[in-house]
Amino acid sequence: MTDSSPILKVEGLEKTFGAVVAASNINIDVQPGEIIGIIGANGAGKTTFVNMVTGYLTPSAGSIQFEGREMIGLPPRKVTQAGISRSFQVSQVFSTMTVEENILTALAIASNTGLGALRQMMRPELVSKCNDVLERYQIAQHRDHTAGTLSQGVRKLLDIAMAVISKPRILLLDEPTSGISVEEKFDLMDIVMTPLREDNVTVLFIEHDMEIVERYVSRVIAFYQGEIICDESPTEALADPKVQEYVIGTSHPHAKKGA
Amino acid sequence: MFFDRTSSIVVIALFACAVAGYFIPDWIMNQLMFGFARALAVLGLLVLWRTGLISFGHAFYFGLGAYTVALLDINLGVSDVFLRLVGAVLVSGVIGWIVGFVLRNYRDIFFAMLSLALSMVLYGIIVKTEALGSTDGFSISAPTFFGFAPDGKYPLFVFICVVCAICAVAVQMYLNSTLGWMTTAIRDNEVRVEYLGLSVANAVHVKYVLSAVLAGAAGCLMAMALGQVDPDSMVNWTASGELVFITILSGPGSVIAPFIGSVVFELLRTYAFEWAPHAWQLIVGGTLLTIILFLPGGVWSVIEKVVGKKS
Ligand SMILES: Nc1ncnc2c1ncn2[C@@H]1O[C@H](COP(=O)(O)OP(=O)(O)O)[C@@H](O)[C@H]1O
Ligand SMILES: [Mg+2]
């Protein structure tokens, strides 16, 4: 597992909110190209972990090294510029804009360099790139719909499509399939994961559905009360008694038990 | 470049006004001058409004521009319109830039009230300082143009039209640029903008300086059009309120809107005062109520409906 130098190295990470310990002693080495599933009951600290890695929250202690560089203290935009991107548990889109304008906004920011910001927004090369993105994420038919009116699934796709535009080397997805019907979940994950695999992007995604976890990840990290209780292959993780008890057993009685 | 349809309309319309100014009676030209001068400050508020920011103290920069003209005139004898304009733009721009470091971190009511507090401090300083004209203000010598001192107000009117055209086109270009477009994006979702890799604080700061410069230029033009400056009509919170009023009257839909809205306001106030000298505020206030209730897009939304949605 540690054959090359890790792309992301998290050591001794801690976060407390008053008396609540949302993360304690988190240690993770992530190798380039790994696809990791993060599981855990609600309130286990998964989102807090993503928030710390992406600069939204400052940890109380510990270090986060991305490609050898310390990330703690950088604001989200610097983390994005460094090559880490994310999607959100509650999709963050520009709700008064159309789907196309959302993507164009993301493309414009990604292609920005200094005075480039004074260039015209609606330029042909952006529009053609935008069409590619809309096709790739299969949301072209929603191009002119206002983002605030989209169905949950399309909104998730839009959120993820925007996160990927900065060409991150690590992508963190916070519950990409939550609120989406069982039939649509796999389609959505296929649409999202295919281009990421092609570009060899390292992915960490938070997921409650164990079928999705088994299908897409090579490694599972389970959180319980702010701590990592298991970091193994999917088969081993789902058979792990602690995972059975604290993750699968508690929060999601309907989730399929380990295969 | 991206000189679009709206920009062409602005240039043609203001050129037509400048030409027409030669033939119209002085009192109409005066109304137009006041209206257009104030419209620049309203344009500045429109730029902020596109991000959901509203300043209840924009007369701060309006006053800075106006008083820069007066102080340059009185202390250094500067009468040239260009030097006066450059002076006003520099003063309001530099102060806006400094103040921007604080205000860019605030939103909503905090942004609005901090702006108001700032303008009240300036008002207080001016009123208490003899060297700044105290409550009386100053009168200003007639403007000169590259050493020429023409008779009448027509040359100044043309100058105002030209400055307004340049500013409106510049703002239109800004709104069409990536940075200007982020305006709407930031209003919609700051977290997303930040996570896409853009500094929200910087984008707001640029916008704030732009709106300060526009209000400063507006104050400069107004000072010359009136031939005087005074704290009550130019710096006091009522002056800021007037600017917000006109912004709502105009609507945020287009850079053309402030020019129409400001002229409508000048006429409204003048006629309200003539018809009902003791109750003109009632008429003006009633108009604002009507606009907010029935025309949230302002005067511009009426024009859009009549002409068709084009720009
Ligand atoms: N901003 C915050 N302020 C206070 N407590 C928080 C905050 N964010 C998260 N928490 C707490 O931290 C714990 C972990 O939350 P979270 O990371 O959102 O869990 P998960 O994503 O695994 O459901 C919870 O107890 C939650 O209430
Ligand atoms: Mg969560």
Side-chain angles (χ1 to χ4, degrees):
Chain A
M1 203 176 82
T2 46
D3 44 337
S4 62
S5 66
I7 185 168
L8 183 73
K9 190 173 181 64
V10 175
E11 277 179 314
L13 207 58
E14 285 191 30
K15 182 71 190 178
T16 50
F17 297 105
V20 178
V21 180
S24 99
N25 196 28
I26 307 284
N27 297 290
I28 302 174
D29 277 6
V30 179
Q31 301 304 321
E34 269 194 296
I35 294 179
I36 300 177
I38 297 178
I39 61 175
N42 284 325
K46 307 179 297 294
T47 298
T48 303
F49 172 72
V50 170
N51 283 342
M52 287 192 287
V53 173
T54 57
Y56 194 72
L57 288 176
T58 310
S60 314
S63 95
I64 300 168
Q65 296 205 334
F66 171 61
E67 295 175 343
R69 178 178 164 207
E70 183 60 53
M71 290 284 115
I72 292 179
L74 296 185
R77 70 169 191 284
K78 300 268 179 177
V79 174
T80 302
Q81 287 162 5
I84 301 181
S85 192
R86 73 172 290 188
S87 76
F88 296 84
Q89 192 167 349
V90 177
S91 303
Q92 298 289 323
V93 296
F94 301 116
S95 50
T96 70
M97 295 186 192
T98 65
V99 168
E100 183 177 30
E101 288 166 344
N102 269 269
I103 300 289
L104 282 169
T105 305
L107 285 166
I109 295 178
S111 69
N112 243 348
T113 38
L115 287 176
L118 295 178
R119 275 183 302 171
Q120 186 170 12
M121 175 71 196
M122 296 300 171
R123 31 186 211 277
E125 88 259 22
L126 280 196
V127 174
S128 100
K129 273 190 199 164
C130 176
N131 289 334
D132 294 347
V133 175
L134 291 171
E135 293 297 332
R136 189 171 332 128
Y137 288 90
Q138 302 184 17
I139 48 179
Q141 70 272 32
H142 301 286
R143 171 193 303 267
D144 297 323
H145 297 172
T146 308
T149 65
L150 297 172
S151 70
Q152 184 77 278
V154 180
R155 201 188 311 217
K156 287 265 177 196
L157 278 172
L158 178 59
D159 186 18
I160 295 169
M162 283 203 282
V164 177
I165 281 170
S166 62
K167 295 204 167 46
R169 293 186 291 291
I170 295 192
L171 181 65
L172 298 113
L173 302 171
D174 196 348
E175 305 203 12
T177 69
S178 71
I180 293 173
S181 72
V182 181
E183 308 87 69
E184 286 174 326
K185 277 186 178 181
F186 288 98
D187 291 342
L188 180 135
M189 286 307 287
D190 282 341
I191 295 171
V192 170
M193 294 308 291
T194 309
L196 292 174
R197 282 213 195 89
E198 279 168 14
D199 296 338
N200 201 33
V201 177
T202 309
V203 183
L204 284 81
F205 72 90
I206 300 176
E207 183 55 61
H208 285 297
D209 187 325
M210 294 308 148
E211 282 187 61
I212 299 273
V213 170
E214 282 182 276
R215 168 96 67 108
Y216 294 95
V217 312
S218 54
R219 176 178 165 195
V220 171
I221 298 177
F223 279 68
Y224 177 68
Q225 293 187 349
E227 290 183 48
I228 293 178
I229 52 166
C230 159
D231 181 350
E232 285 165 304
S233 72
T235 331
E236 288 168 314
L238 297 185
D240 187 314
K242 275 189 289 185
V243 172
Q244 290 279 349
E245 184 177 353
Y246 297 128
V247 182
I248 301 171
T250 55
S251 69
H252 287 266
H254 54 275
K256 194 179 142 192
K257 302 237 167 171
Chain B
M1 292 308 271
F2 31 104
F3 194 91
D4 63 1
R5 192 193 148 82
T6 303
S7 299
S8 320
I9 294 174
V10 166
V11 170
I12 292 167
L14 285 168
F15 180 76
C17 282
V19 173
Y22 192 75
F23 304 100
I24 56 179
D26 266 6
W27 71 271
I28 299 183
M29 194 168 73
N30 272 331
Q31 297 275 325
L32 288 179
M33 267 201 295
F34 301 151
F36 287 172
R38 203 175 263 112
L40 280 190
V42 174
L43 196 58
L45 284 178
L46 178 143
V47 165
L48 289 176
W49 194 5
R50 287 282 183 102
T51 301
L53 295 170
I54 192 98
S55 161
F56 287 148
H58 230 46
F60 178 72
Y61 296 105
F62 192 76
L64 280 178
Y67 272 77
T68 302
V69 171
L71 294 175
L72 281 175
D73 182 28
I74 286 155
N75 298 313
L76 302 171
V78 174
S79 60
D80 188 79
V81 281
F82 295 96
L83 292 180
R84 285 173 167 182
L85 183 63
V86 169
V89 161
L90 278 179
V91 168
S92 52
V94 168
I95 294 183
W97 179 69
I98 295 167
V99 170
F101 282 102
V102 178
L103 279 193
R104 69 189 209 171
N105 300 315
Y106 292 89
R107 301 289 180 273
D108 307 322
I109 196 73
F110 304 101
F111 182 92
M113 296 319 266
L114 268 175
S115 311
L116 176 63
L118 207 64
S119 74
M120 290 173 79
V121 169
L122 181 66
Y123 177 77
I125 292 173
I126 290 174
V127 166
K128 293 277 172 231
T129 312
E130 227 30 73
L132 295 174
S134 188
T135 49
D136 293 339
F138 299 112
S139 55
I140 297 167
S141 66
T144 57
F145 300 79
F146 290 126
F148 295 102
D151 279 342
K153 290 221 151 176
Y154 180 63
L156 180 62
F157 178 67
V158 172
F159 180 72
I160 289 178
C161 288
V162 171
V163 173
C164 284
I166 292 171
C167 289
V169 169
V171 168
Q172 179 67 9
M173 285 181 170
Y174 161 78
L175 291 175
N176 283 340
S177 75
T178 305
L179 196 59
W181 174 269
M182 291 312 147
T183 284
T184 322
I186 290 170
R187 188 194 59 203
D188 251 21
N189 194 332
E190 285 194 22
V191 170
R192 177 41 100 185
V193 171
E194 192 79 24
Y195 265 107
L196 287 172
L198 185 86
S199 165
V200 169
N202 281 346
V204 170
H205 201 162
V206 169
K207 176 180 290 282
Y208 187 73
V209 173
L210 180 61
S211 84
V213 163
L214 286 166
C220 161
L221 298 182
M222 185 60 106
M224 292 194 286
L226 281 170
Q228 65 175 57
V229 298
D230 70 278
D232 276 306
S233 79
M234 288 176 161
V235 191
N236 204 1
W237 63 272
T238 49
S240 298
E242 233 164 59
L243 295 176
V244 175
F245 181 112
I246 303 170
T247 308
I248 294 169
L249 180 72
S250 310
S254 163
V255 299
I256 303 172
F259 295 92
I260 296 164
S262 300
V263 172
V264 168
F265 176 77
E266 285 301 327
L267 294 174
L268 179 71
R269 191 170 53 175
T270 307
Y271 281 106
F273 200 74
E274 262 175 35
W275 291 331
H278 302 295
W280 68 274
Q281 289 101 330
L282 193 71
I283 297 178
V284 172
T287 311
L288 184 61
L289 266 179
T290 314
I291 298 264
I292 292 176
L293 291 177
F294 301 109
L295 267 187
V299 174
W300 182 251
S301 58
V302 179
I303 293 170
E304 225 171 28
K305 242 173 239 153
V306 174
V307 183
K309 200 171 169 146
K310 278 169 194 161
S311 59

